[in-house]
Amino acid sequence: MKLSIYFLLILTFVSCKNEPKSKLPETIEVNQMALKYAEGFSVDYYENYKVLNITKPWPKAEKSYRYVLISKENMAKTTFARNEYDAIIVNPVETIVVTSTTHIPALELLNVEETLVGFPGTDYISSEKTRLRIDQKKVRDLGQNEGINTEVLLDLNPDVVVGFGVDGVNKTFEVIKKAGIPVIYNGDWVESSALAKAEWIKFFGVLFNKEKEADSIFNQIESDYLAAKTMAKKAESKPTVLSGAMEKDVWYLPNGSSAEAQFLKDANVNYLWSETTGHGSLALSFEAVLVKAKDAELWLSPSYYSSLDQLEKANSLYTNFQAFKDKSIYTFANKTGATGGVLYYELGTTRPDLVLKDLIKIAHPELLPAHEPYFFEKLK
Amino acid sequence: MKTNHTYSFIILTVILLLCFVTNISLGSINIPFSEVFEILFGTSKNETWEIIITKVRLPKAVTAIMVGSGLGISGLLMQTLFRNPLAGPFVLGISSGASLGVAIVILGSGLFGGFFATALISKWSIVIAASLGSFLVLLAVLAVSSKVRDTMAILIIGLMFGSITAAVVSVLSYFSSAEQLQQYIFWGFGSLSNLSWEELLIFFGIYAVGLLLSIASIKGLNSLLLGDNYAKSLGLNLKQSRFIIILATSLIAGTITAFAGPIAFIGLAIPHLTRQIFKTSNHKILLPAVFLFGAIVMLVCDSIAQVPTSDYTLPINAITALVGAPVVIWLLVRQRKMMF
């Protein structure tokens, strides 16, 4: 009796194993999105869906993310092995929540800003188009970035949340994912060159099935940037440049391999620390900066200081620099939106061409007589 | 015995002078020793070096002397007043009061906007807020101490004030922007530099008043060592002495925290180090000795923090604790007990 039960059990297992698997549909990769500069993401096209790979969501990321993007019609016909992808997103996306102001210009350039339904800290947004929608209560404020108000977000129930991570540890995003709302990491800020950062507009193009538009917008930005760079080479002089300001005892400056330094190089100026390399910014003592840059002709982006008076009040040592005496200090801190968000932080990533032109206008005004600076302003 | 101390004082003064000269000749930029003297006597031709010595290193060295000596003295006053070896400006909540004041100015702009937002950058608003904060906390401690006889209870209350301020600071931090948080955190690292001569003059004024008050309370401090009742029997006005001692401490520690940030370790450790070396509890000797010792230790710590010949500097707070704490531990282990 007992033996027969064992026998039966074994038989059941064996027969289970032999049952034929329900096979996933065979798919063939059609092609891959052409990317010129960006290294943090890639897009594979299949016959009726596409896969977005985020390979570098944050510095030192060990994990990459894969998202399936598929239309509603095809969704009904196709089965995916869920554990192979981080999320399956129906596109074009109809409602979206982004978490960084750098994502806003991409939405606007692609003409999909009306899909934005929520943002953490709406006061940081400067764009007039989106500000109007915020005033009309069409964009909900989700509170602070690190502590996004999950209840409000779940209530909004957007098709996708575009987040960004510093190290991949974000409890809020985990909660959102568990609630079934896909979170895609945007790693534009990890890219090492300005054009690579700008190319992330194609990432948004994929979400909205607007690859062509994104492509042509980026090509325009790229060609404008490269044209400005070529023009800057014609300049006869190469002004010496100092950057940053002190936070207590430490003077922070962009290192020579940073995207900021790349801008300065392309603007054909002599950035005094262009030879340095490394991650993050340089942290130097006042003495070290003074010896090297006392006679620098230009001083760019002195932290958040917005006037000469403020700079002097914060530390009278600043007055010893020639650039201070000549009032040749330029900042982007003064160009802000209606609620105080700094325009440069919002638009600068997507429009490096404008940033470069601003810098050329400052360093070589004769080359761009008609250009009205977009971000930078002389410190008064 | 007395001549012994005279020698010690002479030696300490010489060491202080040496440390002072060493401190101003060391830094990221290598300036030859001869040039340093030329600059001090106004005969140098190198403008950059002159700026570095006269506007950066000299004010910093003077600040170091005031901070080291002042924190040491206020630690000594607190330890004697509360008859507790753990007392010091940090423990009593003076530094936490200052931190709260600064937090309200720097971080509060997010919550209050308007006035605070515009006052954000001004260094003076931070100084005033820190002084007010520490003074208010000390007043509270003072009010409590008039009700509560037990000095241990007062210490605990001081610690509790610290916890309350920390809680308020975390609420403020939660609503602050990254830049504001960064500014507040950097203030917390402590810094001896960035003071102009005008600021130093004001700093010195308040510090000097505090110093005079503490000299005036030497007799009271000595009698307090023998206990409240004994001090009373000596004809000491206990309430008045207590008030003067606390006022002196809040003036000294408050302004130091305001101008240089919360500097760790010095206030607690210097009095102990001095007692170990001078082997006395007479404040007539202890007070000047703590002054000299505090100044020397701070100058040495600052010289290390500048990481001579490198382009980098370290936060002074890291150095005071890293250099100082092991020394205290070593001394205590060697002596096997704390002189108090």
Side-chain angles (χ1 to χ4, degrees):
Chain A
M1 186 65 188
K2 257 188 179 175
L3 204 74
S4 58
I5 292 174
Y6 280 127
F7 189 69
L8 248 171
L9 268 174
I10 290 167
L11 202 76
T12 341
F13 276 119
V14 171
S15 61
C16 273
K17 259 194 167 171
N18 286 346
E19 217 172 309
K21 259 191 211 168
S22 61
K23 273 192 179 169
L24 291 167
E26 289 275 332
T27 48
I28 309 144
E29 188 176 337
V30 180
N31 62 8
Q32 207 177 24
M33 179 186 271
L35 291 168
K36 289 184 192 167
Y37 306 91
E39 287 169 352
F41 77 102
S42 65
V43 185
D44 301 320
Y45 289 91
Y46 294 86
E47 208 161 340
N48 49 14
Y49 66 95
K50 44 195 172 186
V51 174
L52 170 64
N53 303 294
I54 306 291
T55 48
K56 208 172 180 193
W58 49 83
K60 293 180 191 156
E62 282 168 4
K63 191 181 172 215
S64 64
Y65 291 80
R66 299 182 74 201
Y67 307 92
V68 171
L69 294 142
I70 185 164
S71 70
K72 246 182 213 159
E73 302 81 62
N74 288 328
M75 182 73 183
K77 292 186 262 175
T78 324
T79 334
F80 292 98
R82 286 215 167 244
N83 51 2
E84 278 182 32
Y85 301 99
D86 289 282
I88 292 163
I89 299 158
V90 175
N91 80 332
V93 168
E94 281 165 11
T95 51
I96 194 170
V97 162
V98 299
T99 51
S100 162
T101 52
T102 55
H103 306 157
I104 305 284
L107 297 181
E108 292 187 356
L109 287 168
L110 291 168
N111 276 322
V112 289
E113 68 272 6
E114 75 284 352
T115 57
L116 182 71
V117 289
F119 186 88
T122 47
D123 277 356
Y124 291 111
I125 298 179
S126 309
S127 144
E128 284 176 20
K129 249 187 193 175
T130 303
R131 279 242 61 86
L132 186 70
R133 298 194 66 246
I134 294 166
D135 295 339
Q136 292 167 346
K137 311 263 182 249
K138 286 177 181 161
V139 180
R140 289 269 291 273
D141 197 325
L142 301 175
Q144 297 276 337
N145 192 30
E146 277 301 310
I148 289 181
N149 189 330
T150 30
E151 285 190 20
V152 179
L153 185 84
L154 297 182
D155 182 42
L156 284 173
N157 196 21
D159 291 345
V160 63
V161 172
V162 176
F164 66 92
V166 180
D167 53 6
V169 184
N170 190 324
K171 278 189 195 148
T172 320
F173 288 160
E174 293 310 314
V175 175
I176 299 169
K177 279 187 215 163
K178 275 193 191 125
I181 300 174
V183 176
I184 307 186
Y185 286 100
N186 179 311
D188 60 358
W189 63 280
V190 188
E191 298 286 350
S192 52
S193 82
L195 284 173
K197 286 178 196 215
E199 201 170 13
W200 276 74
I201 193 169
K202 294 180 181 174
F203 159 97
F204 285 99
V206 175
L207 298 183
F208 296 96
N209 285 343
K210 289 199 161 198
E211 283 95 336
K212 264 193 195 141
E213 288 91 330
D215 211 40
S216 73
I217 293 166
F218 177 72
N219 287 342
Q220 188 61 50
I221 292 169
E222 184 202 15
S223 75
D224 285 357
Y225 185 94
L226 296 177
K229 184 179 163 182
T230 317
M231 186 177 49
K233 286 207 180 107
K234 287 181 201 150
E236 282 163 10
S237 64
K238 226 180 164 184
T240 46
V241 171
L242 157 72
S243 181
M246 271 195 284
E247 193 62 67
K248 280 280 165 189
D249 303 357
V250 182
W251 194 305
Y252 291 95
L253 310 99
N255 72 55
S257 54
S258 68
E260 287 94 334
Q262 186 64 42
F263 269 129
L264 297 174
K265 200 177 162 196
D266 291 347
N268 197 16
V269 300
N270 178 12
Y271 176 47
L272 292 164
W273 282 269
S274 59
E275 303 305 315
T276 56
T277 51
H279 291 288
S281 33
L282 299 169
L284 305 178
S285 69
F286 172 79
E287 297 182 5
V289 176
L290 182 76
V291 166
K292 203 160 189 173
K294 189 170 161 288
D295 298 317
E297 289 156 80
L298 291 173
W299 180 354
L300 298 174
S301 323
S303 192
Y304 46 77
Y305 299 110
S306 55
S307 72
L308 290 171
D309 191 44
Q310 259 188 17
L311 204 56
E312 188 175 351
K313 262 191 195 151
N315 198 326
S316 54
L317 289 175
Y318 290 134
T319 56
N320 293 306
F321 289 90
Q322 193 57 42
F324 187 95
K325 291 174 193 159
D326 296 344
K327 296 182 182 169
S328 307
I329 310 179
Y330 294 83
T331 180
F332 55 71
N334 288 347
K335 291 277 175 79
T336 56
T339 42
V342 176
L343 193 63
Y344 179 84
Y345 294 135
E346 181 171 323
L347 191 57
T349 307
T350 317
R351 296 297 306 272
D353 54 325
L354 296 176
V355 178
L356 184 62
K357 280 182 192 164
D358 273 15
L359 292 174
I360 295 172
K361 173 83 180 178
I362 293 168
H364 319 289
E366 73 283 357
L367 293 180
L368 279 173
H371 178 73
E372 196 59 45
Y374 224 87
F375 305 107
F376 285 88
E377 199 176 86
K378 206 172 197 175
L379 218 58
K380 285 183 196 109
Chain B
M1 189 71 185
K2 220 174 183 181
T3 48
N4 236 343
H5 287 319
T6 320
Y7 281 132
S8 306
F9 277 122
I10 293 170
I11 293 169
L12 276 183
T13 314
V14 172
I15 295 176
L16 176 64
L17 281 173
L18 281 177
C19 285
F20 182 77
V21 176
T22 316
N23 184 274
I24 55 171
S25 28
L26 289 178
S28 311
I29 299 303
N30 193 9
I31 301 177
F33 208 65
S34 56
E35 189 77 22
V36 174
F37 277 95
E38 274 184 34
I39 291 165
L40 289 181
F41 294 111
T43 53
S44 170
K45 296 269 182 301
N46 189 321
E47 201 198 337
T48 310
W49 284 355
E50 200 182 317
I51 294 171
I52 290 176
I53 295 287
T54 59
K55 291 184 181 170
V56 180
R57 294 189 189 173
L58 261 180
K60 186 161 58 64
V62 174
T63 313
I65 290 175
M66 285 204 279
V67 167
S69 59
L71 285 178
I73 286 172
S74 51
L76 176 71
L77 296 189
M78 290 289 102
Q79 285 169 10
T80 306
L81 178 67
F82 291 106
R83 258 174 279 140
N84 189 309
L86 276 177
F90 264 86
V91 183
L92 266 187
I94 303 177
S95 304
S96 1
S99 309
L100 180 65
V102 172
I104 289 175
V105 169
I106 297 182
L107 307 176
S109 60
L111 272 186
F112 310 116
F115 165 73
F116 283 100
T118 50
L120 179 67
I121 313 283
S122 163
K123 209 188 271 181
W124 287 113
S125 57
I126 290 173
V127 170
I128 292 165
S131 314
L132 262 181
S134 58
F135 190 70
L136 286 181
V137 167
L138 253 180
L139 271 190
V141 173
L142 206 64
V144 172
S145 70
S146 68
K147 294 259 181 233
V148 184
R149 293 281 114 203
D150 188 4
T151 43
M152 191 60 101
I154 297 172
L155 268 184
I156 293 172
I157 289 164
L159 278 173
M160 291 305 111
F161 273 123
S163 307
I164 296 169
T165 52
V168 178
V169 169
S170 34
V171 171
L172 287 172
S173 320
Y174 188 78
F175 291 103
S176 303
S177 70
E179 292 91 48
Q180 290 168 331
L181 278 178
Q182 193 191 26
Q183 222 191 348
Y184 179 71
I185 287 170
F186 274 96
W187 177 81
F189 284 158
S191 158
L192 301 175
S193 40
N194 300 335
L195 291 185
S196 65
W197 286 109
E198 296 84 65
E199 286 162 334
L200 269 181
L201 203 66
I202 294 166
F203 186 1
F204 179 76
I206 307 171
Y207 162 88
V209 174
L211 210 59
L212 288 176
L213 283 177
S214 33
I215 293 169
S217 48
I218 285 179
K219 199 179 151 204
L221 287 165
N222 277 340
S223 354
L224 275 173
L225 280 180
L226 307 168
D228 285 5
N229 290 330
Y230 193 83
K232 258 186 210 162
S233 72
L234 282 176
L236 183 75
N237 185 339
L238 210 60
K239 249 191 177 162
Q240 196 194 344
S241 287
R242 254 191 188 169
F243 180 76
I244 293 176
I245 292 168
I246 291 186
L247 185 68
T249 314
S250 86
L251 282 177
I252 298 176
T255 39
I256 288 173
T257 317
F259 280 100
I263 305 279
F265 162 81
I266 297 290
L268 175 70
I270 294 295
H272 289 304
L273 279 175
T274 316
R275 281 193 208 97
Q276 298 276 8
I277 288 162
F278 277 77
K279 303 216 182 325
T280 177
S281 47
N282 181 1
H283 286 79
K284 245 184 211 167
I285 293 159
L286 272 183
L287 201 80
V290 163
F291 177 97
L292 290 170
F293 236 113
I296 290 170
V297 169
M298 209 62 205
L299 281 172
V300 171
C301 286
D302 178 60
S303 301
I304 298 170
Q306 294 311 309
V307 203
T309 70
S310 95
D311 280 356
Y312 303 97
T313 58
L314 295 171
I316 186 74
N317 251 344
I319 304 300
T320 52
L322 272 180
V323 173
V327 174
V328 175
I329 294 171
W330 174 73
L331 267 176
L332 291 179
V333 170
R334 209 184 59 146
Q335 304 275 335
R336 289 200 195 85
K337 72 181 180 67
M338 189 169 260
M339 249 191 88
F340 188 72

